[in-house]
Amino acid sequence: MTSKFDRHRRLRSSAAMRNLVRENHVHIEDLIYPLFVVEGSNIKEEIPSMPGVYHFSLDMLAEEMKEIVAAGIQSVLMFGVPEFKDACGSEAYNDQAITQQAIRQIKESYPEMIVIADTCLCQYTDHGHCGVLHEGEVVNDETLKLLAATAVSQAKAGADIIAPSNMMDGFVIAIREGLDEAGFAHIPIMSYAVKYASSFYGPFRDAAHSTPQSGDRKSYQMDPANAREGLLEAASDVREGADFLIVKPALAFMDMVLRLRENFHVPIVAYNVSAEYSMVKAAAANGWIDEERIVMETLVGFKRAGADLIITYHAKDVAKWLTR
């Protein structure tokens, strides 16, 4: 029999009451919006597997940035897609490459915008792996040198935060030391600390043109079955100087957001990845779901699990929903 003291519904009786006691909220300043920049001019091409997400040339990026700023979004995550690729991903650390050009352009026009630079080699290498290959295997320590050079080049271009996504052992300390030696001790590192070898990245690989030409990334990205391993990865990164920790993907691994929140005191970032986005878009296009309600429920779930920030392709839509 229900006790007279067990009246939980008292606090759910009206919309105003529910708003009064709501524990978690999504704010515009929590959102980080990914951008894909390409070489050329007059390019705004929708990525087929990611409706509403585009490749932008620098001239078209200017118009997109106006929309982003007008929406109130304060942070963007930059991905460059170069035309030239080679075995060592040299365009990643070329000061005049497309990513560095885009960073400079944004910071010149919007100095208050937080520009986060994804730091990896996969979209710059002709083989599509996140590091240098030797006899078909990714060479860890040789790759670290190139990642540090990439981070320094991105910082020189004006990046506010370096976000290494490569999952090499020791990547945080290699980048930290590289930044410090180059005079960028003030630049924080947002580490992809818990990044799984996931099937949820398919549409992103279309966007970044980064599908491996052979093999897979299971030797350096994490096994989706493992959780304790993620805590070890995160602890290493914090020890080496990481200022933020990312969980990627976020939706299928929300338990890892909670585990990191309970064990570390740095900001936790949930990456709402490409397939999570595309599945919602596809279902909404077929009329099977209410897109806004599904997206907001998902993002509130990330916050409830302990995320401070959310990287999401839904950011512009969410910003509109929050301010209407």
Side-chain angles (χ1 to χ4, degrees):
M1 182 176 177
T2 302
S3 165
K4 66 180 180 180
F5 299 109
D6 295 329
R7 299 296 185 186
H8 305 295
R9 291 176 56 189
R10 290 172 183 150
L11 301 185
R12 305 171 193 158
S13 58
S14 67
M17 183 68 75
R18 293 190 294 273
N19 289 339
L20 183 69
V21 300
R22 184 159 293 136
E23 299 174 26
N24 295 283
H25 300 265
V26 176
H27 303 288
I28 293 178
E29 55 266 30
D30 301 332
L31 305 175
I32 300 169
Y33 187 48
L35 288 169
F36 298 93
V37 291
V38 297
E39 298 179 51
S41 61
N42 199 35
I43 297 172
K44 180 182 178 181
E45 295 179 348
E46 189 172 39
I47 298 161
S49 56
M50 298 178 70
V53 178
Y54 296 83
H55 287 129
F56 295 99
S57 55
L58 292 178
D59 54 330
M60 300 301 286
L61 178 63
E63 189 64 31
E64 177 70 1
M65 286 305 304
K66 288 181 184 178
E67 291 187 20
I68 291 169
V69 171
I73 295 169
Q74 300 177 17
S75 306
V76 293
L77 175 61
M78 299 303 305
F79 295 96
V81 186
E83 290 182 357
F84 175 76
K85 302 188 180 196
D86 58 20
C88 59
S90 60
E91 283 294 279
Y93 43 90
N94 176 358
D95 290 348
Q96 302 306 316
I98 185 63
T99 305
Q100 285 81 343
Q101 291 184 58
I103 293 169
R104 282 193 291 269
Q105 178 174 305
I106 292 171
K107 293 302 291 184
E108 286 170 4
S109 299
Y110 305 101
E112 299 303 313
M113 176 66 64
I114 295 294
V115 178
I116 305 166
D118 180 84
T119 306
C120 194
L121 301 183
C122 60
Q123 64 261 45
Y124 303 96
T125 57
D126 54 13
H127 47 74
H129 278 285
C130 300
V132 178
L133 289 183
H134 178 67
E135 296 181 353
E137 296 293 329
V138 174
V139 183
N140 194 90
D141 294 358
E142 186 175 341
T143 298
L144 293 180
K145 299 174 185 177
L146 302 184
L147 293 169
T150 300
V152 170
S153 180
Q154 293 168 335
K156 285 166 59 179
D160 298 286
I161 299 173
I162 297 299
S165 59
N166 53 87
M167 290 299 285
M168 297 296 110
D169 289 334
F171 70 96
V172 173
I173 194 166
I175 289 172
R176 183 73 273 158
E177 290 176 348
L179 290 171
D180 291 355
E181 290 170 6
F184 296 107
H186 62 289
I187 299 292
I189 295 174
M190 181 181 285
S191 171
Y192 285 71
V194 182
K195 181 178 179 181
Y196 287 94
S198 172
S199 298
F200 283 88
Y201 304 149
F204 172 87
R205 290 176 181 172
D206 290 341
H209 299 170
S210 61
T211 302
Q213 298 301 303
S214 63
D216 53 42
R217 296 178 177 149
K218 294 180 181 179
S219 68
Y220 45 99
Q221 294 179 357
M222 284 179 49
D223 184 340
N226 292 355
R228 294 190 298 272
E229 182 183 2
L231 294 178
L232 290 173
E233 291 275 3
S236 294
D237 290 357
V238 169
R239 198 163 52 241
E240 293 174 11
D243 301 281
F244 304 77
L245 298 173
I246 298 175
V247 175
K248 180 182 181 183
L251 185 57
F253 300 92
M254 211 180 294
D255 65 305
M256 293 308 302
V257 176
L258 177 60
R259 288 168 193 256
L260 264 59
R261 176 75 290 146
E262 291 176 338
N263 285 276
F264 303 98
H265 300 292
V266 300
I268 306 300
V269 185
Y271 198 143
N272 184 206
V273 299
S274 59
E276 295 169 355
Y277 169 87
S278 296
M279 289 189 296
V280 169
K281 285 291 185 180
N286 279 283
W288 297 336
I289 60 171
D290 182 318
E291 180 177 352
E292 178 180 345
R293 292 178 67 182
I294 288 286
V295 171
M296 293 307 301
E297 189 172 322
T298 299
L299 269 55
V300 168
F302 297 148
K303 297 286 289 190
R304 190 185 65 248
D308 300 287
L309 304 171
I310 303 168
I311 302 169
T312 179
Y313 303 97
H314 295 289
K316 286 203 301 182
D317 288 336
V318 173
K320 292 175 186 176
W321 298 333
L322 290 173
T323 55
R324 64 176 177 224

